[in-house]
Amino acid sequence: MKKYLLLFLVLLIPVSVFARNDSNNLTSVKKDLMTKLELKKEFSINRSVGANAVQNIRYTNKYIFITQSTYNGNNQNSIMVLDRETKKLVKELKYDIGHGNDITYNDRTREIMFLKSLTKDVVIVCYDYDTLEHTRDIVVEGLTKAYALSYNIDNNSYYIAAQNKGYILDGLFQMVSSFDIKSNQTIQSFSYYDGYLYFSNYEAGFPNGWQTTYDGVFNPFDSVIYVFDINGKFVKGFFIPPIDGQPTELEGISFYDGEAYFIFNNWHSGKIDVYKYSGNLLPLKNENDYNKKEDIILEDFKDMSINNTFMYIVSLILICIVSATIIFIGNKKLKV
């Protein structure tokens, strides 16, 4: 009996390290239980030559980064770098980032990171924030066709979405846990801010390559945002009706100085529209100014990757101890 108990403990240890949250059930969240958002126009800008759609946005202290997709997915994407204050173009980056679906900023390594989305291999393209030069490409093992990426500075971890799952990875891109994000809308992108993960969706109004069904809960061109806590548990929902009655498609959200910026494809004007929500969408969890965290350097050892490495080492030691105990008990019985 003891032998089987020990074997059970051996099997249980790895499971406790990789946890799952499969009960979010986003498809059951009704519109009348969500909070309607009223946005204010921030600015509009023309798409780059050769770009067919905007894909996402990231505000920083100095720049606004905007990703776009191209008519031919094999071509290099046009990534806009705007001055945050003037909204003028500072530089246009050219790099193959697939559909260009998501973008994030690692405040510790000072890298702006673009997800090469909807490709077989999950690749994160990194640029130096200060020089705006390409530095490296990171291949994330174990996932395919990812479409969303966001960095969590609070514990040095990453959120990546692939199909109907969100995944939490540590600072070394090792898997930590997963959670359910299946929805009935067109899936778009992630954005982490101050203890919450925001998942942007868009209601196309009909089944298509990006959306399996139309259930009639939301109207065509409604924007839908599902919010999760730091561990991937659903906590709240928001929706945005078509702005000014126009066919606008929400692509993503970026937070800066306590305010949320929403980026849309405006299919009526053909332009990129950026709107702002003034105030906090959810209660703040951190008192310190979020934007000051851009000054954090890589030598900050209080991060999730070190904690997870410690957990793996402890688990490995425990497994070795339990295994040795089983062998010892077995040999003792044989001698008897």
Side-chain angles (χ1 to χ4, degrees):
M1 184 66 181
K2 290 181 178 179
K3 180 177 179 179
Y4 292 112
L5 179 60
L6 291 171
L7 284 171
F8 175 75
L9 290 173
V10 171
L11 294 173
L12 183 62
I13 291 170
V15 173
S16 65
V17 173
F18 187 87
R20 290 177 177 270
N21 185 351
D22 293 323
S23 58
N24 284 318
N25 195 17
L26 302 182
T27 57
S28 69
V29 180
K30 302 304 180 184
K31 186 174 183 177
D32 58 0
L33 297 178
M34 290 186 166
T35 300
K36 179 182 175 182
L37 296 180
E38 299 290 343
L39 307 182
K40 179 181 178 182
K41 184 74 166 288
E42 182 71 2
F43 70 95
S44 289
I45 191 171
N46 291 322
R47 296 195 296 258
S48 299
V49 175
N52 65 345
V54 66
Q55 294 302 328
N56 220 314
I57 190 169
R58 182 61 168 88
Y59 268 71
T60 66
N61 276 347
K62 191 175 181 179
Y63 302 117
I64 301 171
F65 294 87
I66 295 176
T67 57
Q68 302 167 95
S69 56
T70 60
Y71 290 104
N72 186 337
N74 295 323
N75 291 340
Q76 292 184 328
N77 302 69
S78 294
I79 304 166
M80 292 182 182
V81 185
L82 307 180
D83 180 274
R84 187 180 62 81
E85 294 287 347
T86 66
K87 312 298 187 296
K88 301 296 184 182
L89 184 67
V90 174
K91 188 173 183 179
E92 192 169 14
L93 310 178
K94 294 283 189 177
Y95 204 91
D96 180 10
I97 54 173
H99 194 63
N101 220 53
D102 218 341
I103 175 177
T104 194
Y105 175 62
N106 187 318
D107 314 63
R108 298 171 187 250
T109 63
R110 294 186 69 80
E111 289 176 303
I112 193 76
M113 310 175 87
F114 305 98
L115 176 66
K116 187 176 180 180
S117 53
L118 302 178
T119 55
K120 182 178 180 182
D121 295 325
V122 177
V123 180
I124 298 174
V125 176
C126 303
Y127 272 74
D128 183 275
Y129 178 72
D130 299 299
T131 66
L132 298 178
E133 297 294 331
H134 175 256
T135 55
R136 57 176 176 155
D137 289 352
I138 301 170
V139 178
V140 181
E141 302 292 343
L143 296 175
T144 60
K145 297 183 179 179
Y147 58 87
L149 167 72
S150 192
Y151 176 67
N152 175 356
I153 187 176
D154 295 323
N155 60 13
N156 189 28
S157 63
Y158 294 90
Y159 297 96
I160 293 180
Q163 298 179 338
N164 293 324
K165 289 286 186 183
Y167 297 90
I168 302 176
L169 296 88
D170 65 19
L172 302 176
F173 294 96
Q174 300 300 305
M175 196 73 68
V176 176
S177 63
S178 68
F179 55 101
D180 166 42
I181 58 171
K182 178 178 173 54
S183 76
N184 284 341
Q185 296 86 45
T186 297
I187 48 183
Q188 299 285 37
S189 59
F190 279 164
S191 182
Y192 175 81
Y193 179 69
D194 200 71
Y196 297 103
L197 179 68
Y198 295 78
F199 178 35
S200 297
N201 288 246
Y202 149 76
E203 180 53 75
F206 60 92
N208 54 68
W210 314 104
Q211 178 175 331
T212 58
T213 185
Y214 176 52
D215 58 13
V217 174
F218 296 92
N219 297 322
F221 299 106
D222 275 353
S223 303
V224 186
I225 301 103
Y226 300 102
V227 187
F228 307 90
D229 67 15
I230 198 169
N231 298 311
K233 181 177 176 58
F234 173 71
V235 294
K236 191 174 179 62
F238 298 95
F239 79 94
I240 306 167
I243 298 176
D244 297 327
Q246 296 184 358
T248 50
E249 177 185 359
L250 174 66
E251 293 289 346
I253 310 170
S254 182
F255 293 86
Y256 181 79
D257 200 22
E259 296 180 319
Y261 295 85
F262 299 76
I263 192 163
F264 294 85
N265 274 301
N266 189 322
W267 298 116
H268 174 73
S269 67
K271 291 189 175 185
I272 299 168
D273 287 345
V274 178
Y275 284 78
K276 179 173 70 172
Y277 179 83
S278 297
N280 300 317
L281 292 176
L282 288 168
L284 296 180
K285 291 180 176 294
N286 299 313
E287 295 181 359
N288 295 331
D289 182 4
Y290 179 81
N291 301 303
K292 292 179 181 178
K293 293 180 180 179
E294 289 192 1
D295 296 328
I296 292 178
I297 57 175
L298 189 61
E299 286 75 17
D300 184 351
F301 292 105
K302 295 179 181 179
D303 58 56
M304 192 173 184
S305 62
I306 292 177
N307 290 336
N308 285 327
T309 302
F310 176 74
M311 288 176 63
Y312 296 144
I313 293 172
V314 170
S315 298
L316 183 60
I317 292 172
L318 289 173
I319 290 173
C320 292
I321 292 173
V322 173
S323 300
T325 303
I326 293 173
I327 294 171
F328 175 77
I329 293 173
N331 288 339
K332 188 174 181 181
K333 287 183 176 181
L334 287 174
K335 288 180 181 179
V336 173

